[in-house]
Each structure stands twice: as C-alpha cells, then as structure tokens.
Amino acid sequence: MKIAIVDYGAGNLRSAAKAFGHVAGASATVDVTSDPEAVRKADRIVVPGQGAFGDCAAGLRAVPGMVDALEEAVHRRAVPLFGICVGMQLFATQGFEHGTHAGLGWIAGDVRRMTPADPALKLPQLGWNGLACKPHPLVKDWPAEPHVYFANSYCFEPLDRSCVVATADYGGPVVALVAKDNIAGSQFHPEKSQAVGLQLIANFLAWRP
C-alpha cells in the first residue's frame, strides 16, 4: 500500500507520517509529498492541516497540479481520502475564518467559528473530549466511551447530517468525524489521540468504501 500525506506547507506532517507509518508497518510506504504524481498513484491519501482555513486553502491550491491530482484520485479512482483538522475542513464548500474562503466543495457545508453555549468554555477547544458515535467502519473496535484530542476554534457544519459519524460536546455538538463515499475526515487529531487515534488510522487503512 502506498500512503501519500499531502505536503502543502500547512500540516502536522511529521507526527502524522509517524502515526500512519507505525500503524501500517512494513506492508506500506508513507510518502510525505508535494508531488501530484505521487498523489495520483497512492492507495490512500491524507490531507493534514493546522492554522487558518483561508491560508490552508490557498496553500493547497498553490501547489501546481495538486488539486487536479486529488480530484482525479478521489473522484475518478475512488481512492480513500482522509483529512485531519483543517485538512478535513477544506472538504467543505466554504470557510469563514478571517473572511470568506472557498473550500474544495466535496462535502457541502460551511466551516464556522464555534459558539459554545457555556461562556466558561474558552476557544480554542484544546485538549481531550469524549465522542458520541454512530456505527461505521471507521470507528470499529473503538471503546464504548472514546476520548480524542482537539485543537480548534472553528468547526465543520455539513448540510447533510447523514455524513456525521461522531460528535463531541463543547457547549453544544461539534462535528468530530465525517464520512461520505470514499472521503472522510476528523476535526480531532488522530495522531495525538493515542490508542483511539491509532485505531482510527488502522480502520481507515482497511476501509473499503
């Protein structure tokens, strides 16, 4: 298996590559790459991300041929794709962090600033939080009360709620994990979420959507 982690200057690349490599083992190669051809040839694609939505969207589009390569792999070859944090948010229609910015539009919806109902809850949402999940191959073998690591002030609000696999409660529901066709992503960081995060990575690598 060839795993491509897309390097567009806006991701937690080293820890993501380490986590995917640890889970995949010797049966796979993990390539941190800004080469569209490597993405086209991959069996699994990961889009990490941290920072502001607009900066990440601009950074991804600034890599010559990368969006076209992702389109070809994901939509024509149905290669499983996973986005992490802002990487997942980029699948949305648009984001409203420091202005209005176009996303990739692969899962219809917006990325908006979180508004916790409890004023004692500060932003960013930083640290561990429990999840409520529905059955899905990506959460196979998770514990009954999974906890994962978040670092975000904005959250994805998909129009079609059927794609929401897991939510967290942070003064109201926060979309934590989505999956639509062969596209999936988490608002939390699986590479920082210990056993639950590693199990999610294993489930993604085994996923046959």
Side-chain angles (χ1 to χ4, degrees), residues 117-129:
D118 183 351
L121 295 173
K122 304 301 183 183
L123 295 179
Q125 175 188 8
L126 186 63
W128 294 84
N129 205 321

Side-chain angles (χ1 to χ4, degrees), residues 178-201:
V178 297
K180 178 184 178 183
D181 301 325
N182 56 311
I183 299 172
S186 63
Q187 182 60 68
F188 59 88
H189 288 267
E191 77 280 9
K192 297 180 180 179
S193 296
Q194 299 182 2
V196 173
L198 294 178
Q199 185 62 56
L200 172 59
I201 291 172

Side-chain angles (χ1 to χ4, degrees), residues 77-144:
R77 293 180 47 227
V79 174
L81 170 71
F82 196 88
I84 298 173
C85 197
V86 183
M88 177 268 281
Q89 294 179 357
L90 293 180
F91 302 158
T93 307
Q94 58 189 346
F96 295 98
E97 188 172 2
H98 309 307
T100 301
H101 309 277
L104 295 169
W106 295 346
I107 301 179
D110 297 334
V111 175
R112 298 182 180 273
R113 185 171 175 83
M114 297 167 62
T115 55
D118 183 351
L121 295 173
K122 304 301 183 183
L123 295 179
Q125 175 188 8
L126 186 63
W128 294 84
N129 205 321
L131 298 180
C133 309
K134 71 179 185 182
H136 192 277
L138 290 175
V139 299
K140 178 184 177 184
D141 296 329
W142 272 16

